[in-house]
Amino acid sequence: MATAQASASRGAALVLVLGDQLTPGRGALKDAVPGRDVVVMAEVSSEARYVPHNRHKIVLLFSAMRHFRDELRALGFTVHYFSYTNQGPTTLLQAVQTILRQCDVTELRCCEPGEYRLLSELQQWALPIPVRLIADERFLCTRDAFASWAQGRKQLRMEYFYREMRKQYQLLLDDRGGPQGGRWNYDADNRHGWRSQETIPPRPPVILDEITKEVMALVSREFPEHPGDLEQFYLAVTREEANLHFRWFLDNGLRHFGTYQDAMADDSPWLFHSLVSMYLNIGLLDPLDVCRQVEEAWRRGRCELSAAEGFIRQVLGWREYVRGVYWLSMPGYAERNALQAQRPLPPWFWTGATDMRCLHVAIRQTLDLGYAHHIQRLMVIGNFALLAGLHVKSVCDWYLAVYVDAFEWVELPNTLGMALYADDGLMASKPYAASGKYIQRQGDHCKACRYSPGKTTGDDACPYNSLYWRFVHRHQDALKGNPRMSLVLKNWERKTAGEKHAIVAWANAELTRLVPETDTP
Ligand code: FAD
Ligand code: DLZ
């Protein structure tokens, strides 16, 4: 084979493996030969501090990197590994330059970074040897394939992309190549609220080996100002352990996953969610493999079709789709702010100190654990930021900092596009704006809240309600052309001038109280 021959005949390479590229035999490691090619990995402050990453994320990355180093060494590779110290390199470029002075190689190979920021940095590195960037084949749709799919379409919609992907990967198809059960999408069956009907079994216990303990001590010492309560560390740091966590989901979570996918529980941060995004994103789990295992579980009768389809749609559909949108639209995408949202992020986004129970719970668990499930990210925190008109870049930077699974290729389209509608509808066909009634329907937070979701104005009125109408009022011209918003706009128009005035005036006063404009974004 040409590539194998090329690989065999080329000179020795230095292979740079980034912290979210921990898959053997993939990317830059695909053609790497132990004994000839040399690997470099580095814990550096430029990556650990470009936003105040949650400490859980830094522990996950550093511990998983150190375990992967050992995995590669066991395969026979020479791995130069820089642990995080104040004396060591502070950037990846410095780490590479240090090793280049010590070994004789003819090129630097690196799998393309997942973030535009780092890709453009790498492309500007001036080194004595050429830098070869290798496509990231851990994704199921290449950047070029997504661009071809998107070309010429007036509107991009995940649903059509997802159907193509189902066909391409032969997932949940019947004998005639159609969707199992006759429908491509069972989303409508997956919108139950949480009424504490089910017991949620405990997750697998966390394994703290010496490597992880050492990294936890390091991170506590070096990153005291970052969020994250490491007393509650719950993450897998090896492939084997990540598989154990996924097995828990197959055995315990999947059968309820569809039903409670959109539910919110006051006393459970996870419900029946899989908790695998962080492992998929750093290369400990493989997206096609998890989808196939979920399909297999359904074929064995261990879950409903709606649960299996719901999970596969997230991984094969949404995950690939957001990455496609990111690379299609960067770098301009990060600057978009279609609704001109400028209000500064309130300081309580860093403490959770708000009386709105749903927001308090979602932000507190986000800061403490680095995790919130999709509906908390979209319909509680994101919805508040959308309704309040919080400054788009500040909100995106916050999301990038606080979640263990946050990498810009997945965070940005979800936050800027889906939650904040700042891309003018590229990601979402309408703004995900909702009142307190939605939050009440989906969960049990409101029972423990001082505000009432049934009221729009008055001291005990849920702030989401008046802010929702204020949002509709402020953006009615922009939303008029959107058929999916016509009912909402009609409902607003039906109100008398006096009612409208009272609601908007109340919302403005609430906003001034909740998000004072004096802080800088
Ligand atoms: P489950 O609910 O069990 O879903 C299974 C898997 O599907 C996830 O692990 C994930 O890989 C994938 N998935 C589901 N929804 C999405 C989506 N919208 N986009 C991409 N993949 C998806 N996901 C990240 O991985 N990193 C982020 O930084 C991130 N930021 C987000 C920001 C906002 C505002 C929103 C609304 C969503 C964001 N998501 C992000 C998507 C989603 O919320 C998380 O993937 C999910 O909550 C992770 O938890 P889980 O593994 O338990 O997911
Ligand atoms: C997220 C992260 C962190 C916290 N630290 C490192 C690091 O020290 N070294 C490294 O190689 N990678 C790290 N990463 C992951 C990178 O930020 C990631 O590779 C880029 O954001 C591209 O997706």
Side-chain angles (χ1 to χ4, degrees):
M1 260 166 45
T3 45
Q5 271 167 14
S7 162
S9 59
R10 70 168 162 77
L14 181 61
V15 178
L16 171 64
V17 175
L18 303 175
D20 56 351
Q21 299 177 344
L22 309 182
T23 316
R26 288 288 183 89
L29 288 166
K30 188 175 174 186
D31 292 329
V33 178
R36 180 191 64 187
D37 301 316
V38 174
V39 176
V40 58
M41 299 175 73
E43 299 167 8
V44 286
S45 67
S46 60
E47 291 308 306
R49 292 189 185 278
Y50 68 92
V51 286
H53 296 290
N54 196 301
R55 281 185 278 194
H56 287 275
K57 179 178 178 185
I58 307 178
V59 173
L60 168 70
L61 265 286
F62 286 5
S63 182
M65 284 170 72
R66 292 180 188 199
H67 283 95
F68 190 60
R69 165 200 65 195
D70 296 347
E71 197 178 332
L72 290 179
R73 283 181 181 157
L75 290 171
F77 282 104
T78 299
V79 184
H80 294 278
Y81 192 92
F82 292 94
S83 296
Y84 193 92
T85 66
N86 293 328
Q87 287 80 46
T90 59
T91 64
L92 291 166
L93 175 59
Q94 284 174 13
V96 166
Q97 285 169 328
T98 307
I99 300 306
L100 284 182
R101 283 194 285 274
Q102 296 169 21
C103 60
D104 189 17
V105 289
T106 55
E107 64 178 9
L108 175 75
R109 298 168 77 85
C110 182
C111 175
E112 278 174 357
E115 299 194 343
Y116 185 87
R117 165 192 66 83
L118 192 55
L119 176 64
S120 25
E121 244 181 64
L122 246 84
Q123 284 167 335
Q124 284 160 35
W125 283 2
L127 293 175
I129 52 167
V131 178
R132 188 179 298 276
L133 288 171
I134 291 146
D136 193 342
E137 50 172 25
R138 292 172 302 165
F139 289 92
L140 303 175
C141 181
T142 64
R143 285 164 54 180
D144 287 347
F146 190 86
S148 306
W149 173 81
Q151 198 171 25
R153 285 175 194 262
K154 261 204 239 144
Q155 268 194 333
L156 303 185
R157 287 294 162 252
M158 197 290 290
E159 183 61 28
Y160 300 113
F161 168 78
Y162 165 59
R163 291 178 192 180
E164 298 291 317
M165 294 290 282
R166 284 266 295 276
K167 290 182 207 155
Q168 184 181 341
Y169 286 95
Q170 298 280 300
L171 281 162
L172 291 180
L173 296 186
D174 63 21
D175 296 343
R176 289 167 299 152
Q180 282 290 355
R183 274 156 61 193
W184 289 103
N185 183 318
Y186 289 82
D187 202 20
D189 301 352
N190 290 345
R191 292 181 185 149
H192 289 247
W194 181 248
R195 299 288 174 266
S196 319
Q197 303 93 325
E198 311 288 347
T199 308
I200 306 167
R203 302 259 163 183
V206 65
I207 303 165
L208 295 182
D209 65 7
E210 287 313 309
I211 292 180
T212 304
K213 283 185 197 158
E214 196 177 303
V215 169
M216 285 170 82
L218 164 82
V219 172
S220 303
R221 196 173 61 241
E222 296 290 335
F223 301 91
E225 72 287 12
H226 290 218
D229 176 8
L230 291 183
E231 294 287 320
Q232 302 187 55
F233 189 72
Y234 61 100
L235 295 163
V237 292
T238 64
R239 207 170 315 286
E240 199 187 353
E241 227 190 313
N243 271 306
L244 264 176
H245 284 229
F246 181 60
R247 168 83 19 221
W248 179 95
F249 172 69
L250 289 175
D251 293 343
N252 301 280
L254 180 59
R255 79 190 111 109
H256 299 297
F257 175 79
T259 312
Y260 297 115
Q261 198 176 342
D262 285 3
M264 288 183 275
D266 208 61
D267 60 2
S268 171
W270 344 100
L271 287 133
F272 298 101
H273 288 275
S274 64
L275 268 70
V276 293
S277 48
M278 53 301 249
Y279 311 129
L280 290 169
N281 295 353
I282 68 171
L284 295 186
L285 291 180
D286 176 72
L288 188 56
D289 181 51
V290 297
C291 288
R292 287 199 171 129
Q293 289 199 56
V294 164
E295 172 165 9
E296 182 59 20
W298 167 70
R299 288 190 186 279
R300 288 167 183 258
R302 294 175 50 199
C303 67
E304 298 289 331
L305 179 56
S306 57
E309 189 281 317
F311 181 87
I312 288 171
R313 177 160 21 93
Q314 306 310 319
V315 176
L316 182 74
W318 279 111
R319 187 170 182 273
E320 297 291 328
Y321 182 76
V322 299
R323 178 174 181 263
V325 167
Y326 178 77
W327 285 110
L328 199 62
S329 319
M330 282 299 278
Y333 197 71
E335 308 306 320
R336 299 196 67 173
N337 189 352
L339 299 177
Q340 301 301 317
Q342 298 295 352
R343 219 172 178 91
L345 201 68
W348 49 264
F349 262 60
W350 294 103
T351 63
T354 168
D355 285 348
M356 287 173 273
R357 178 73 191 174
C358 53
L359 254 180
H360 167 75
V361 170
I363 293 179
R364 220 31 277 170
Q365 75 175 65
T366 294
L367 297 171
D368 289 342
L369 303 168
Y371 181 86
H373 60 71
H374 187 73
I375 291 301
Q376 291 175 303
R377 296 190 206 196
L378 184 64
M379 301 309 292
V380 176
I381 306 174
N383 185 22
F384 182 84
L386 172 74
L387 300 184
L390 300 188
H391 182 248
V392 170
K393 181 152 178 11
S394 308
V395 177
C396 293
D397 284 352
W398 183 84
Y399 272 88
L400 194 56
V402 293
Y403 291 109
V404 288
D405 56 16
F407 294 91
E408 198 186 60
W409 63 266
V410 53
E411 173 275 324
L412 195 67
N414 270 302
T415 310
L416 184 149
M418 201 187 306
L420 302 181
Y421 204 70
D423 64 1
D424 205 16
L426 183 62
M427 270 291 292
S429 56
K430 74 176 188 61
Y432 279 95
S435 71
K437 302 226 176 64
Y438 172 87
I439 294 169
Q440 181 188 31
R441 197 167 57 240
Q442 293 311 117
D444 58 357
H445 295 309
C446 300
K447 279 195 248 161
C449 187
R450 88 160 183 80
Y451 294 112
S452 163
K455 293 189 179 169
T456 304
T457 57
D459 280 339
D460 58 347
C462 171
Y464 278 94
N465 291 340
S466 60
L467 292 179
Y468 173 74
W469 287 122
R470 177 182 174 275
F471 175 85
V472 172
H473 176 67
R474 270 165 62 96
H475 299 295
Q476 52 191 322
D477 288 340
L479 301 175
K480 245 179 215 147
N482 186 332
R484 297 195 64 199
M485 292 304 289
S486 61
L487 188 65
V488 171
L489 288 168
K490 260 189 213 132
N491 285 341
W492 178 242
E493 275 157 24
R494 243 183 244 134
K495 294 189 192 295
T496 65
E499 282 170 334
K500 285 183 185 172
H501 178 78
I503 292 173
V504 173
W506 181 261
N508 284 335
E510 278 289 64
L511 206 47
T512 308
R513 189 177 63 77
L514 296 167
V515 190
E517 279 197 273
T518 45
D519 303 308
T520 47

